[in-house]
């Protein structure tokens, strides 16, 4: 096979008679000098801001209580005994995954150093391994990393066989195993997995002590658990509250060395914190905005990260969030939300009745040649969007004897909503054929 067939890049000087090595190096040198600065002008250690980066313990801010509570539940593991099972819940970006990984790491360290107890720790992202068999196979194979004779094929065994091999691996390698089931609500058979892992020892399947940390950002998850499963956790629930703006600032300041010195202007971190606190105190969101602000500054060839970059990064994040929410929605739903956005943009108001939305929706359907649904169906679509947190509906009263109606308001910025929905080519004809005037007339004359 020639290098070309293998898809390798060939030397531009090849076949010209020049020394190919020198020519190539010179060409690439020149290109590299033009494309890349010697060192990144904005970031010094960008990895500190990457998703998935686990900061050292002293960089975990504002979670001392949660860290200590979790450690209290795991203390028996450090002596080679069975730790408590724990459910951790709290909204997204509140440090649940981070704290769990950190505390289990310290537990393992302490057990091995002081008591010669072997603690196996496994982290499972249940959003990836969604079936019972996959979850058990992943737990078994990651524990088995240390190496036993037991083979754990990624697929092909029955669920029961995977359990058997898991028990053998555990007994062969460890005194205690701590399993973190992150995003446990995404698991199809979460009840079964939790029950089997927490009762394995009692049922005489293994000698090894097993501790389970189940994590969910759905508060309802805990309430909805089967009573038998709940009792496995013996009510050991840890709640992670959202961060406030001060804590978010502290979290970011602790990673400010991701940037070169003097690159961050003073208002950048407070502004990122303010945006993320508005949301619900989500640290991931804060770090994302900060990283993206740095990226924007670099792409624009600027030497410092300023408030402007933060605001633009926030807009991009909002757009991304909205795109995820509406992206896969049926065209009809998009038309309904677009109607609300157009109304909001063209008037002084920000809340509208179902009738208002329906009037503009009908106009859009005719323009883009789409079936027009009944007003009742449109009302249903609106309540679905309400559920998805795209818009917000609240009951109003028309005054004495006037009855009640719903007023609808967009959650995100209307301009951004309009722009995102118009990315769907289905709406291409909307503004090409129609003058904006005609749309304006419909909006002004709505009932
Ligand atoms: N107290 C903290 N100190 C430093 N960094 C933090 C802190 N809390 C969260 N982070 C960082 O914020 C991001 C999100 O945290 P984490 O993944 O632990 O949240 P989570 O509660 O598990 O969210 P989700 O429910 O969405 O999984 C990570 O990059 C994490 O490193
Ligand atoms: Mg998490």
């Amino acid at each position: 096979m020639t290098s070309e067939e293998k898809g390798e890049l060939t030397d531009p000087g090849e076949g010209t008679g020049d020394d190919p090595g020198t020519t190539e190096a010179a060409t690439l040198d020149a290109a590299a000098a033009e494309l890349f600065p010697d060192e990144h002008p904005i970031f010094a250690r960008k990895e500190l801001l990457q998703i998935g980066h686990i900061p050292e313990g002293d960089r975990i801010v504002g979670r001392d209580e949660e860290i200590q509570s979790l450690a209290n539940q795991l203390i028996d593991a450090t002596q080679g005994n069975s730790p408590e099972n724990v459910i951790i819940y709290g909204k997204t970006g509140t440090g649940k995954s981070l704290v769990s990984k950190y505390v289990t790491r310290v537990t393992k360290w302490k057990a091995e150093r002081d008591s010669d107890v072997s603690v196996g720790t496994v982290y499972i992202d249940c959003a990836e391994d969604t079936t019972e068999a996959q979850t058990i196979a992943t737990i078994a194979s990651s524990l088995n990393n240390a190496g036993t004779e037991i083979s754990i094929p990624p697929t092909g065994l029955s669920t029961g066989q995977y359990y058997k091999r898991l028990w053998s691996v555990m007994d062969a390698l460890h005194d205690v195993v701590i399993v973190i089931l992150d995003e446990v609500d995404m698991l199809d058979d979460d009840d079964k997995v939790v029950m089997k892992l927490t009762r394995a020892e009692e049922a005489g399947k293994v000698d090894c002590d097993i501790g389970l940390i189940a994590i969910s950002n759905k508060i309802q998850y805990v309430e909805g658990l089967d009573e038998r499963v709940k009792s496995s956790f013996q009510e050991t629930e840890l709640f992670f509250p959202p961060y406030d703006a001060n804590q978010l600032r502290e979290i970011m300041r602790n990673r400010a060395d991701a940037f070169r010195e003097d690159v961050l202007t003073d208002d950048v971190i407070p502004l990122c914190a303010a945006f993320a606190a508005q949301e619900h105190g989500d640290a991931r969101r804060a770090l994302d905005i900060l990283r993206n602000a740095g990226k924007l500054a670099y792409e624009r060839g600027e030497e410092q990260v300023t408030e402007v970059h933060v605001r633009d990064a926030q807009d991009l994040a909002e757009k991304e969030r909205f795109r995820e929410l509406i992206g896969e929605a049926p065209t009809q739903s998009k038309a309904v939300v677009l109607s609300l956005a157009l109304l909001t943009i063209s008037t002084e108001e920000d809340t509208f009745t179902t009738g208002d939305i329906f009037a503009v929706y009908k106009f859009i359907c005719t323009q883009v040649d789409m079936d027009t649904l009944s007003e009742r169906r449109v009302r249903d679509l609106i309540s679905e969007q309400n559920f998805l947190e795209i818009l917000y509906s609240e009951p109003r009263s028309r005054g004495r004897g006037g009855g009640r109606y719903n007023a609808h308001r967009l959650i995100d910025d209307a301009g951004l909503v309009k722009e995102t929905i118009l990315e769907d080519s289905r709406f291409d004809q909307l503004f090409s054929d129609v003058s904006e005037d005609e749309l304006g007339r419909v909006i002004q004359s709505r009932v």
Side-chain angles (χ1 to χ4, degrees):
M1 197 187 264
T2 68
S3 60
E4 231 161 332
E5 277 166 337
K6 278 191 280 179
E8 279 173 18
L9 294 174
T10 47
D11 168 18
E14 220 164 49
T16 59
D18 296 340
D19 175 359
T22 326
T23 321
E24 180 184 25
T27 320
L28 289 177
D29 274 351
E34 193 178 323
L35 291 177
F36 304 113
D38 280 345
E39 51 182 27
H40 200 295
I42 300 287
F43 292 110
R45 296 179 61 199
K46 193 175 179 190
E47 71 277 7
L48 295 180
L49 301 175
Q50 300 296 18
I51 306 170
H53 169 76
I54 303 186
E56 297 304 316
D58 58 2
R59 284 179 187 252
I60 301 182
V61 175
R63 289 286 98 134
D64 294 351
E65 241 174 76
E66 290 75 12
I67 291 176
Q68 189 59 58
S69 306
L70 183 56
N72 295 347
Q73 306 306 323
L74 301 185
I75 186 166
D76 291 334
T78 63
Q79 306 288 337
N81 298 319
S82 196
E84 303 293 334
N85 300 309
V86 189
I87 297 187
I88 298 181
Y89 67 106
K91 287 197 170 165
T92 177
T94 51
K96 302 181 297 298
S97 303
L98 173 66
V99 166
S100 310
K101 287 180 188 165
Y102 170 68
V103 178
T104 47
R105 217 167 71 196
V106 180
T107 307
K108 180 185 172 77
W109 175 260
K110 158 99 176 145
E112 286 171 6
R113 192 196 59 189
D114 294 349
S115 313
D116 202 19
V117 165
S118 156
V119 175
T121 58
V122 194
Y123 173 86
I124 301 290
D125 181 356
C126 300
E128 274 171 28
D129 294 308
T130 57
T131 70
E132 186 181 6
Q134 274 168 354
T135 308
I136 301 307
T138 311
I139 299 176
S141 63
S142 50
L143 284 176
N144 204 22
N145 261 346
T148 64
E149 302 283 285
I150 306 156
S151 97
I152 317 284
T155 54
L157 299 186
S158 71
T159 310
Q161 285 166 324
Y162 277 120
Y163 274 108
K164 279 208 186 99
R165 295 197 187 187
L166 172 62
W167 310 141
S168 311
V169 171
M170 285 180 167
D171 277 336
L173 297 173
H174 299 294
D175 304 307
V176 183
V177 166
I178 302 174
V179 180
I180 303 175
L181 291 178
D182 204 350
E183 319 264 345
V184 62
D185 47 275
M186 305 286 273
L187 195 61
D188 297 336
D189 283 309
D190 53 328
D191 284 9
K192 284 192 198 150
V193 174
V194 169
M195 291 287 291
K196 290 206 179 116
L197 289 176
T198 54
R199 313 244 157 133
E201 208 190 335
E202 206 179 294
K205 311 262 189 213
V206 272
D207 289 329
C208 170
D209 294 304
I210 303 174
L212 197 61
I213 302 175
I215 306 178
S216 173
N217 53 28
K218 310 230 167 6
I219 312 257
Q220 315 86 306
Y221 176 78
V222 184
E223 291 161 9
L225 275 181
D226 185 291
E227 281 308 318
R228 286 182 315 154
V229 179
K230 241 189 204 166
S231 82
S232 302
F233 291 103
Q234 293 149 356
E235 310 283 314
T236 324
E237 294 174 11
L238 296 183
F239 172 65
F240 280 42
Y243 294 111
D244 62 29
N246 285 331
Q247 291 170 322
L248 292 171
R249 272 203 293 271
E250 218 32 53
I251 289 173
M252 285 182 280
R253 285 212 182 100
N254 259 304
R255 303 204 198 179
D257 47 344
F259 292 89
R260 292 205 174 280
E261 230 172 288
D262 299 328
V263 159
L264 282 187
T265 55
D266 288 346
D267 32 9
V268 165
I269 286 183
L271 191 60
C272 292
F275 280 134
Q278 244 170 37
E279 195 82 1
H280 68 246
D282 176 345
R284 180 181 299 110
R285 180 68 177 255
L287 291 167
D288 279 350
I289 301 174
L290 182 61
R291 187 185 63 248
N292 286 324
K295 238 179 100 197
L296 285 179
Y298 172 65
E299 283 163 11
R300 294 174 190 173
E302 281 152 35
E303 285 167 5
Q304 284 195 309
V305 186
T306 65
E307 193 183 319
V308 176
H309 304 122
V310 176
R311 291 191 188 281
D312 291 351
Q314 159 75 359
D315 282 353
L316 286 175
E318 289 266 289
K319 209 166 172 185
E320 189 51 36
R321 182 193 93 93
F322 184 72
R323 198 179 280 134
E324 269 170 27
L325 283 175
I326 196 88
E328 301 296 312
T331 318
Q332 288 287 353
S333 307
K334 288 184 183 170
V336 170
V337 179
L338 180 59
S339 310
L340 180 54
L342 295 174
L343 282 162
T344 313
I345 292 168
S346 322
T347 63
E348 303 278 285
E349 302 144 56
D350 64 358
T351 58
F352 300 90
T353 65
T354 309
D356 293 340
I357 297 176
F358 187 64
V360 179
Y361 160 82
K362 269 195 307 197
F363 173 78
I364 294 177
C365 291
T366 333
Q367 292 305 325
V368 305
D369 222 358
M370 189 165 88
D371 289 344
T372 309
L373 303 176
S374 68
E375 187 162 343
R376 174 185 290 265
R377 269 298 288 144
V378 167
R379 182 170 301 138
D380 291 345
L381 289 179
I382 292 176
S383 41
E384 276 169 31
Q385 305 310 319
N386 192 351
F387 179 70
L388 285 178
E389 298 185 355
I390 285 176
L391 52 81
Y392 175 71
S393 306
E394 63 180 8
R396 295 261 175 92
S397 161
R398 285 205 169 82
R400 193 188 285 194
R404 295 178 74 76
Y405 69 99
N406 274 320
H408 314 288
R409 179 167 56 77
L410 273 182
I411 290 178
D412 288 292
D413 176 70
L416 180 145
V417 169
K418 174 183 165 190
E419 220 179 286
T420 317
I421 294 182
L422 292 181
E423 286 170 5
D424 185 334
S425 59
R426 191 65 214 263
F427 297 104
D428 281 354
Q429 304 157 36
L430 190 56
F431 292 105
S432 51
D433 292 2
V434 191
S435 68
E436 303 242 353
D437 296 353
E438 207 169 324
L439 176 67
R441 272 196 294 282
V442 176
I443 288 178
Q444 295 317 325
S445 65
R446 72 205 134 93
V447 272

